[in-house]
Amino acid sequence: MEADTGLPHRTWWTPYLFLAPGLAMVLLFSLWPFVNTVILSFTDARILRGGGFVGLDNYRRAFADPDFWVATGNSVLYLLVVVPCLVLLPLALAVLVQARIPGIGFFRSAFYTPVIASAVVVGLIWQWVLRSDGLVNTVFQRLRLVSEPVPFLTDSTMLLVSAMIVTVWKGLGYYMVFYLAALGNVPDSLHEAAAIDGAGPVRRFFSITVPQVKPMMLLVGTLSAISALRVFTEIYILGGESGGPGGGARTLPFLIRQVGLGFSGETGYASAISILLFLLTLVFSLLGRRLTKGDEG
């Protein structure tokens, strides 16, 4: 017989009552926009008018659109360059600032500062650094390393590289924190035993540290891959609304914004590109999950 606690009698639906507000938020702000995007991708809708059903025409148009393939190539290139940097460099940084010495907290805070800075502010700072009369070109010319300013922001390839540098610079501190947490769980006894056996710091790093933090490396790789495929702000701030000369540095999110923007924005076509970007992101996410699962097994 249930004791009388003085509290209202619980029913089977009580837990669902507490879940309802959160569930409603997810349905309203996450699930419904996604479903609506899928529906729009099969229409010729524009900003100011609803569209009719056009089947797979938007997807056929995307596969025949040179701009789509340029943007896809830039997004994949962005991923292939940025992800290895964001997996390895923060690990090296975390190892360096892991030491418990006086003043190390200052360096940890300094490396983390770009993370809390607005992406727009970061982009504007790097724009000042990389423009033709900016800091980098001025130093290069003073040192006579170059005779003409390097076109960091006026050449499509250099613009893409500059945006990658900004993304890596801003992400270093963020993923450094991930690795610091993982390194804190590596038993000191393993390093002590290896040192007794004569293993040096480099051997201990590759034989003990890397295997112990490998699951975290795979997680960082998955998260940074998703972020790389969604990059927009860096390209926009450094290259302007056109995405660099001739739009040559545009990524898929940038193309989606261009296609769907304005009073004549093609909402249906932009939605189709969004779904293709979602599928591309899903492929890399599942690949990361498979690698993580294989590592756990």
Side-chain angles (χ1 to χ4, degrees), residues 82-95 97 108 111-116 164 166-183 213 215-230 234:
V82 166
V83 171
C85 293
L86 286 179
V87 170
L88 300 177
L89 294 180
L91 175 59
L93 199 59
V95 171
V97 301
R108 291 181 181 178
F111 289 126
Y112 192 77
T113 300
V115 179
I116 59 177
M164 291 173 184
V166 175
T167 299
V168 172
W169 179 76
K170 185 169 171 55
L172 279 178
Y174 181 69
Y175 294 115
M176 178 193 73
V177 175
F178 283 53
Y179 284 124
L180 282 174
L183 290 173
V213 302
M216 184 60 74
M217 294 173 71
L218 294 172
L219 174 63
V220 170
T222 302
L223 294 177
S224 57
I226 294 173
S227 297
L229 289 173
R230 297 189 311 175
E234 291 89 335

